[in-house]
Every structure is written in structure tokens, then in C-alpha cells.
Amino acid sequence: MSSKRKRVVLSLKDKLDIINALKRGESGRSLSDKYGVGTSTISDIKKQSEKIMKFTNCLMSEDGTSDRKVMKKSRNEEVEECLFMWFIQRRSCGQPISGPLLCEKAIFFNTRLNGDPTFKASSGWLEKFKRRHGIRELEVHGEKLSADIPSANTFIDTLKEFVEKEGFDEEFIYNADETGLNWKQLPNKSLASRRENTASGYKTSKERVTIMVCANATGRHRLPLLVIGKSKNPRCFKNIRSLPVEYDHQKKAWINGEIFKRWYEKQFIPEVKKYQNSIDKRGITLLLLDSAPSHPSDNAPSHPSIECLKEIDEMFTVKFRQPNVTSVIQPMDQGVIETVKRLYRKQMLRRLLLADENNEETFISFHKKINLKDCCYMAAESWNSVDVSTLRKSWNKILKRPLEHFSNIVENTVESGIGDIAEVITQISICAECDEEDVSEWLNCDVNDPGLQILSEEEIIQEISASDEQDREDEEEICEVRDIGPTHSEAFQCLDVAMKWFESQEECNSGQLICLKSIRDLAASKRIASFKQKSIIEFLNKK
């Protein structure tokens, strides 16, 4: 008589391991033997894999997934969703959270949501809430965190030990950070055309996107810019097969866990592997991230749990910084993002001024026609224009390099840039009263936009209550419907003219000329193919 198998209850971490093992091709039978469960259990886990992954994504860290064994939700689900969202946002900003404060907020959300009138937010409920969401005692108590030098130095020393212990090469240490960009914003004092006495019809634009920059510690590898807009399919992207940026969408143009995980898996890992192949060098890759607040649309942290990200590729690992050191030592915050935004606004100003100089159309009408596609191109060019030295020096603090203090260099560069822009505007008389203070205000109009949303209690309730509503696409998107574009023949003729023009210029170099020629040849080949197809059709149609 066979002995009865001992009942085994798998943790969520075990289930995640099984899901990833199944993806790698391991058989259900071998996993059944390894974990001491029946094959039917493995089959059930496979069927619920998407649900398990989504649920564990909502937990704060690997501490929240390692011991938990069920995905049971609270009877007051909406209350807990609101409370957890509020908790994540406040902790990410460094605010201390105590147990009594959590209970007080739970009662507040329960009252506002017309929840169970018998709900008491007892100490027993609090312990279960913390276990359900992986909240450690360390994260609930403690004094307010501040961005001070001692805390930053402690983190730097800890990071140094971690890097040396794991043997990370600087080529494979990356930092990613997001920020908001008001992509159509102009100085408050209207930059009116010289042919216009007043800028009639011009309103301050509040259209924004979120951009995320990512580069390695040597400055030699920067990933394509991630741009997050509101619309899934902007009309101005019609008939465009590729952009110079990675584009994603969210109904308020914020970054969230789903977007970040998609970027990490589909963009970050492949791009890093491609770079490793190009330099013929391999190694474990480290991505440094800040402790970002949760995003209200999916009640998950802005970045998924470390456990979830580690499962994607064992050669890639992620390390989160404490919220009190982010602004002090985060590499992309040490002048890089500021430089990208300044270059973007210079490009936007240049585009507008060239249109005005060419007398093609008025300044205001041209500004109205700038769309999200133009934004993507200008943002990509601005990111690609950041000097390698700027990217490398941004890591000086966090890696304790014995080089000059980077912040002074950035500050001097920014100040000189402000003066240059104000002088250009004055010289060409497009804004009679625009001084350096106005330019500085314009350049810094979105400096405090982190690219993710922090909501009040009432806004959290509104978001959770409306979470089942379908996203509205193309809302507030001002894009003109474009035609199908030039024909192959028209493209060839224009490129041929452009090539002849470039050949006669002093700035002409062989690399750019060959690139331009290859594009012209592509248009030529497509033109020939279309001619042949047209001839065949005409021949077949002849009677």
C-alpha cells in the first residue's frame, strides 16, 4: 500500500519559479517531483500564470512574495487598494508611516467609499494588511528621511561593496530615470512673430509626456529614449513604421509598473545584449533605480518587484535606492535630465525661428502644428546630443570617482545657456521683453515633474473607483490627419537634389554622404519596383 503524499502548500515565490521553469521548457513531471506536488498542481499554476504574475507585481518587494502562499484578497478590497496606494506614494517620498496612521487612513477611506460600517481597522487587521502587501516593520516605523549627505554616503559605501563583491564592470552598470516634459511649452511672455503685434490666440500649453533616459557608467552606451504619451495610436503617427524613440502610452502619460516592465524586458535587456556583442564583452548587468511612487491606474509600484524583474533574465539584476538619496546621487539627476530638457527647448526654439525667418507661416500657426511626432524627433536628437563626458561625469558621486565636482560644471553650463538663449531672442526681436529670468523660468517649467503621479486622498479614491472605466484614446491630442506621404518617385527626386546639395557643402563628410546615398538608392529601388508593377498591371489590363 503506497503512503499518502504529504500535503505541500507552495509559496508565491515557488509558483513564480515554476512558471519561469515552464517557460524555459522544463516538464511538468520533473517540476512535480522537485516541489513534491502533483502534476495537476503544476498544470493549475500554468493556467493561472498570468494572474499570479500580475498579483505578485503589486507587492512591494521580494519580501512580500517569498513567504506568502495565497492570493486571497481582503473583504474591503477597495479600501485596501486606496490605502496601499497611499502608503507606497508617501513612503517613496520619505514620509514616515506608523501603524496607527495606517489604521486612521483605512477608516478614512472606508468612510469615503461607503464601506462596511462595522470595519474597525484593528491591530489584527493591520497585521494581515501588512502581510498581504509585504510591508515590513522597518518600512512602517522610523524618522522622516531627508536628502542629506550622510545618508547618501552610506548608500554609496553600500553600493561600492555590492559592486565589488558581485564583480560588476562599469560598462554594465546602468541608471534609468523618468521625468515629465511639457513639450509645447513656451516662455510666458509670448514669442510673437515680428509680423504680429500681439500673439492672438496663443495660450500657455500644458501638453506633457513622460520621458525616461538610461545610460551606463562609462557614458558610452545610452539606450533609445522612452517617450510615454496619452494616446495609443496618435494620428500623427499614421503610416510611420518606426520612430527614433521607444513610444508607449498611458491615459495620463505617466509611467507605471506595466510600462516599466515592458521596457525592461523588450527594450533594456535586448539593447544591452546588443551593446555587449558590439564590444565583444560579457558580464552581469546592474540597473540602478529610484524608489518611485505607485501609479494610480493599476495600484502597483512604478517599478515592479525585484523578484519579478530578476526572473526575466538571470544575467540582469536590479537595485533600488532609498528615497532619501535619489536627488543627491542619482546619476541621471546630476545634470543629465536638465541638459536634455535644455537642448530640447533650444531645438524647439530653433525650429520655430527658422519657420519665421523663412516667411513660410506665422509663428503662432507653426507652433500649433507641432505635434507628438515632432516632439519625439526633437527629444531623440536632444538625448543623442548629450556629451559622453556629461554622461560619464554624472556617475562621479555615486561611484566615488576622484574627479572634479560635477554639479559646478552643470551649473555653469546652464547659466551660460540661459544667457545665450535670451540674447538670441532679443537679437531677432521675436520677444521684446524676454529677459534671462523669463528664459530660466521657461527652461525650468517642468523641473519638478517626476514623470509619475502623486495623488491626494480624494484623487486616490477617484482613481480606484474609476479603475474599470475604459481608457479614452486620443483625448486632447491635437494632430492633423496626414496623407499617405510622398511617392517613391517624389522621394527619390528630393533625395537626389539633397545629395547634390550636400556634396557641395563644406560640412560634407563621407559617412553622412554614404548614408544619404543609401537612402536615395532605397527610394530608387522602390521606384523601379513600382514602375515594373505598374507596367505589368497595364499590360494585363490591355484588351
Side-chain angles (χ1 to χ4, degrees), residues 23-42:
K23 288 181 179 179
R24 292 193 298 268
E26 294 188 35
S27 67
R29 171 60 65 183
S30 64
L31 292 172
S32 171
D33 295 338
K34 179 179 178 180
Y35 288 92
V37 297
T39 53
S40 61
T41 301
I42 302 297

Side-chain angles (χ1 to χ4, degrees), residues 171-172 174 214-216 220-226 243-246 262-279 281-282 285 313 316 383-384:
E171 287 284 3
F172 306 141
Y174 289 78
C214 181
N216 67 355
R220 288 195 283 264
H221 184 216
R222 71 191 83 192
L223 275 76
L225 201 67
L226 172 64
L243 289 166
V245 300
E246 183 72 13
R262 186 159 53 239
W263 172 85
Y264 180 80
E265 184 175 4
K266 305 297 183 183
Q267 187 75 11
F268 177 71
I269 292 177
E271 287 288 340
V272 171
K273 287 183 176 180
K274 186 189 299 183
Y275 176 68
Q276 291 177 343
N277 290 333
S278 70
I279 61 175
K281 200 174 183 180
R282 306 290 183 275
T285 299
D313 194 307
F316 288 77
W383 171 231
N384 292 334

Side-chain angles (χ1 to χ4, degrees), residues 35-209:
Y35 288 92
V37 297
T39 53
S40 61
T41 301
I42 302 297
S43 178
D44 290 340
I45 291 173
K46 183 178 180 180
K47 291 177 183 177
Q48 298 183 46
S49 59
E50 186 176 345
K51 182 179 178 181
I52 293 170
M53 293 293 289
K54 184 176 181 180
F55 184 84
T56 54
N57 242 2
C58 293
L59 299 180
M60 286 188 58
S61 66
E62 47 192 296
D63 290 326
T65 62
S66 58
D67 298 324
R68 188 166 177 175
K69 297 182 179 181
V70 295
M71 296 187 291
K72 183 179 178 181
K73 294 186 177 181
S74 167
R75 288 183 298 174
N76 303 305
E77 186 176 341
E78 276 197 340
V79 173
E80 288 207 4
E81 286 180 355
C82 289
L83 182 63
F84 184 61
M85 184 187 299
W86 177 87
F87 172 80
I88 292 294
Q89 292 187 141
R90 295 317 185 268
R91 281 302 299 163
S92 297
C93 297
Q95 179 179 334
I97 305 295
S98 64
L101 180 57
L102 276 176
C103 292
E104 179 185 331
K105 287 296 176 183
I107 293 173
F108 167 80
F109 285 124
N110 184 69
T111 302
R112 292 289 291 107
L113 289 166
N114 297 319
D116 184 356
T118 64
F119 177 70
K120 301 296 182 183
S122 63
S123 57
W125 168 86
L126 177 62
E127 289 304 314
K128 291 177 182 178
F129 171 78
K130 288 159 61 178
R131 284 200 299 269
R132 273 193 289 269
H133 295 279
I135 300 174
R136 298 173 297 172
E137 195 69 20
L138 176 65
E139 293 170 324
V140 177
H141 297 289
E143 297 181 359
K144 181 175 176 61
L145 302 173
S146 59
D148 57 0
I149 300 303
S151 296
N153 288 338
T154 299
F155 179 83
I156 289 172
D157 293 336
T158 303
L159 178 65
K160 184 177 180 181
E161 292 178 9
F162 176 73
V163 169
E164 291 176 351
K165 179 182 177 181
E166 299 296 330
F168 288 103
D169 189 310
E170 283 194 7
E171 287 284 3
F172 306 141
I173 301 178
Y174 289 78
N175 174 228
D177 193 21
E178 60 273 347
T179 184
L181 175 67
N182 292 342
W183 60 275
K184 291 189 75 171
Q185 181 71 42
L186 291 172
N188 289 333
K189 293 183 178 178
S190 301
L191 298 179
S193 166
R194 285 172 296 182
R195 295 177 299 279
E196 296 174 331
N197 294 325
T198 60
S200 59
Y202 170 73
K203 295 181 180 179
T204 300
S205 177
K206 295 182 180 179
E207 294 179 78
R208 66 174 296 283
V209 294

